[in-house]
Amino acid sequence: MTAPSAAQRQPMLTARQLTLSGRYLAALLVAGVTLVPIAFVVLGGFRTNAQLNADPSGLPSPWVLDNYRSVLGSSVFWRLMGNSALIAVTATALTCGLGAAAGYALARYRFRGREGVYTLFTAGLLFPLGVASLPVYLLLRQLHLLESWFGVALAEAAFGLPVTVVILRPFMAAIPGELEDAAAVDGCGRLGFLWRIMLPLARPALVTVAVLAFLGSWNAYQLPMLVFNQQAHFTLPLGVAAFQSQYSQDTAGILAYTALSMLPALGFFVFAERRIVGGMAGAVKG
């Protein structure tokens, strides 16, 4: 067979270039749709209300720091952030701990009804919080967990378990059984194997589910709204909504408040982005 001529290779190169150009264009569009609103919120906090009314899409001129100083100097803001951090850390710990135990049992143990239990976890992905709002509220009331940060964290962990188990089970199932046999020969029991070998090997998947659980809890609005009535217990999303209602005319202050509220979650996500991709890839391969 003869090699294709330059004239024959030209259409192939053109099609490949068009494909790459289309992918880059799609990536730029997605990045623009994602980053432009964030940039508008962050930059809007450095402007005054008069600047926003005169030119909503303009840049700060001059740059104003009073909005951010006012928010950072507010004890209410830091109390809200503390409430969100406490609930998010607790929900993440519960989700990872219970999800790792369930994923390990479903991946390494063989018992009757195992696939049925796993199917229940996967079915949990189809039921968002909005569908179960009333049952969750009634259950928390019976448990005397209304106005309790632990009640919110416990409910958030329960709704985070399905995706956690779905990610961890195939990852743990892909770990060779020879490792477990060798650990058993060395006198390591099942719980010892889980703690000493399985969890360290499954660290990428654990980081993935931890990030997803933390971000889901940090951004949660509906569940804290159902549980909390006292503003002293509010989380940041509820605090932002309350601030918007109280200072509806202060658009620049609202933008600064919103920007500072979402920066911790954005920073946490950017820091752990590569680990999320690695954990998801490992779960899919498993």
Side-chain angles (χ1 to χ4, degrees):
M1 297 180 62
T2 59
S5 62
Q8 292 174 333
R9 289 197 302 267
Q10 186 64 30
M12 298 172 57
L13 293 176
T14 303
R16 184 179 301 174
Q17 292 174 352
L18 289 175
T19 302
L20 290 176
S21 300
R23 292 177 179 176
Y24 287 133
L25 179 60
L28 289 175
L29 289 176
V30 172
V33 171
T34 304
L35 296 179
V36 169
I38 297 176
F40 175 81
V41 172
V42 174
L43 293 177
F46 289 102
R47 308 177 69 191
T48 62
N49 292 320
Q51 293 176 4
L52 290 171
N53 293 331
D55 185 10
S57 60
L59 294 175
S61 180
W63 291 70
V64 179
L65 301 179
D66 293 343
N67 297 317
Y68 285 101
R69 287 174 180 170
S70 176
V71 176
L72 293 175
S74 172
S75 60
V76 175
F77 175 79
W78 292 109
R79 185 182 69 240
L80 296 173
M81 180 171 289
N83 293 340
S84 293
L86 177 61
I87 293 174
V89 170
T90 304
T92 301
L94 290 174
T95 302
C96 293
L98 297 176
Y104 175 67
L106 293 173
R108 314 299 294 194
Y109 286 71
R110 296 189 178 277
F111 54 90
R112 182 178 300 178
R114 183 182 69 168
E115 295 304 320
V117 174
Y118 181 68
T119 302
L120 288 177
F121 279 108
T122 56
L125 298 173
L126 305 177
F127 295 95
L129 176 61
V131 178
S133 297
L134 181 59
V136 169
Y137 175 82
L138 295 176
L139 179 60
L140 292 177
R141 187 178 67 177
Q142 292 178 355
L143 295 175
H144 304 287
L145 290 177
L146 294 181
E147 297 295 339
S148 170
W149 62 268
F150 184 74
V152 177
L154 186 63
E156 289 176 350
F159 281 95
L161 277 178
V163 66
T164 302
V165 173
V166 168
I167 292 176
L168 289 181
R169 188 208 184 190
F171 203 101
M172 291 182 170
I175 295 177
E178 290 79 3
L179 290 177
E180 190 170 1
D181 296 336
V185 171
D186 292 337
C188 185
R190 290 185 179 270
L191 291 179
F193 176 76
L194 170 64
W195 181 255
R196 298 177 182 177
I197 299 176
M198 181 66 73
L199 293 182
L201 292 177
R203 185 176 300 173
L206 286 173
V207 172
T208 299
V209 298
V211 171
L212 294 177
F214 183 88
L215 294 179
S217 176
W218 186 273
N219 296 322
Y221 177 80
Q222 186 175 0
L223 184 58
M225 183 181 63
L226 290 174
V227 176
F228 297 140
N229 287 321
Q230 301 178 15
Q231 292 191 0
H233 300 155
F234 278 7
T235 58
L236 267 177
L238 294 181
V240 171
F243 187 87
Q244 291 176 351
S245 300
Q246 186 175 0
Y247 302 97
S248 58
Q249 303 300 322
D250 187 8
T251 305
I254 293 174
L255 292 177
Y257 206 102
T258 304
L260 290 174
S261 299
M262 66 183 181
L263 281 182
L266 286 175
F268 187 72
F269 178 79
V270 171
F271 176 76
E273 179 185 3
R274 293 185 178 180
R275 296 181 180 270
I276 294 176
V277 175
M280 293 296 291
V284 171
K285 290 180 181 179

